[in-house]
């Protein structure tokens, strides 16, 4: 394990959201009182000078680098509700909307042939994508219900896109017992 290291210090709140697969770029969003969340990229080599990715009146969040680091999927409320978009990195002004009926927290499959995201109701959706000199996406398709409704709950996807790691809901009515063993280390030595 390495030492703790301060990467960036500014007066605004910052929330990390994605590393490039080679570890050279950190995507994060910064909270601005006027423009809400704006995505930035912090190079981990050289001067480490932050690069603004988007700075608009819309709320942009949940950025995820494509496996090759040449694209960023993110969610934005520019249409009035959150949708998933993809732009090249560095930004060129080109942009493609991937989701059709809402979407947040996009993730790429490791081979960059699919993007996943969640709807407001917790449904996990996917779209086949092609990334080359330009970006193309197929129509979204529903995968399954997740019960992820809280904005802070996350999910993860395996490299091949066949398995997902999801938080389970807390069962508040369940009668569960808890056994606490004190001084177990001393007992184990006997």
């Amino acid at each position: 394990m390495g030492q703790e290291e301060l990467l960036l210090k500014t007066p605004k709140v910052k929330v990390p959201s994605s590393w490039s697969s080679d570890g050279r770029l950190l995507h994060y969003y910064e909270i601005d009182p006027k423009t809400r969340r704006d995505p930035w990229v912090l190079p981990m080599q050289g001067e480490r000078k932050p690069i603004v990715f988007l700075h608009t009146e819309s709320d942009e969040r949940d950025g995820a680098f494509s496996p090759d680091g040449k694209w960023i999927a993110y969610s934005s409320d520019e249409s009035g509700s959150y949708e998933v978009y993809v732009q090249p990195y560095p930004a060129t002004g080109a942009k493609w909307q991937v989701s059709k009926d809402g979407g947040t927290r996009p993730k790429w499959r490791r081979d960059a042939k699919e993007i996943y995201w969640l709807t407001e109701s917790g449904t996990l959706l996917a779209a086949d994508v092609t990334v080359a000199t330009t970006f193309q996406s197929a129509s979204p398709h529903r995968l399954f219900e997740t019960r992820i409704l809280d904005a802070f709950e996350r999910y993860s996807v395996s490299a091949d896109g066949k398995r997902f790691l999801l938080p389970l809901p807390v069962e508040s009515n369940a009668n569960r017992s808890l056994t606490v063993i004190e001084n177990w280390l001393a007992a184990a030595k006997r």
Side-chain angles (χ1 to χ4, degrees), residues 126-160:
D128 295 332
V129 298
T130 304
V131 291
T133 54
T134 188
F135 176 86
Q136 294 180 333
S137 67
S139 294
H141 56 276
R142 180 187 175 281
L143 296 178
F144 55 86
E145 300 300 318
T146 68
R147 298 190 198 167
I148 297 177
L149 300 175
D150 187 295
F152 296 104
E153 290 181 315
R154 299 292 180 218
Y155 69 98
S156 191
V157 60
S158 64
D160 62 4

Side-chain angles (χ1 to χ4, degrees), residues 8 12-13 16 22 28 46 55 58 64 89-90 94 106 129 142 151 178:
L8 179 64
K12 293 182 180 172
V13 174
D22 60 9
Y28 66 96
H55 185 73
S58 301
Y89 178 79
V129 298
R142 180 187 175 281
L178 175 67

Side-chain angles (χ1 to χ4, degrees), residues 70-159:
K70 295 180 181 179
W71 305 88
I72 296 178
Y74 64 96
S75 58
S76 172
D77 68 351
E78 68 183 71
S79 69
S81 63
Y82 285 99
E83 297 288 353
V84 172
Y85 298 88
V86 170
Q87 287 196 30
Y89 178 79
T92 64
K95 173 176 59 177
W96 294 266
Q97 183 174 334
V98 180
S99 63
K100 303 293 183 226
D101 295 312
T104 62
R105 295 173 260 181
K107 297 208 180 288
W108 295 81
R109 194 166 78 189
R110 183 140 329 134
D111 63 6
K113 293 185 183 223
E114 202 168 29
I115 294 178
Y116 310 96
W117 66 91
L118 289 167
T119 65
E120 189 176 305
S121 64
T123 303
L124 189 70
L125 294 158
D128 295 332
V129 298
T130 304
V131 291
T133 54
T134 188
F135 176 86
Q136 294 180 333
S137 67
S139 294
H141 56 276
R142 180 187 175 281
L143 296 178
F144 55 86
E145 300 300 318
T146 68
R147 298 190 198 167
I148 297 177
L149 300 175
D150 187 295
F152 296 104
E153 290 181 315
R154 299 292 180 218
Y155 69 98
S156 191
V157 60
S158 64

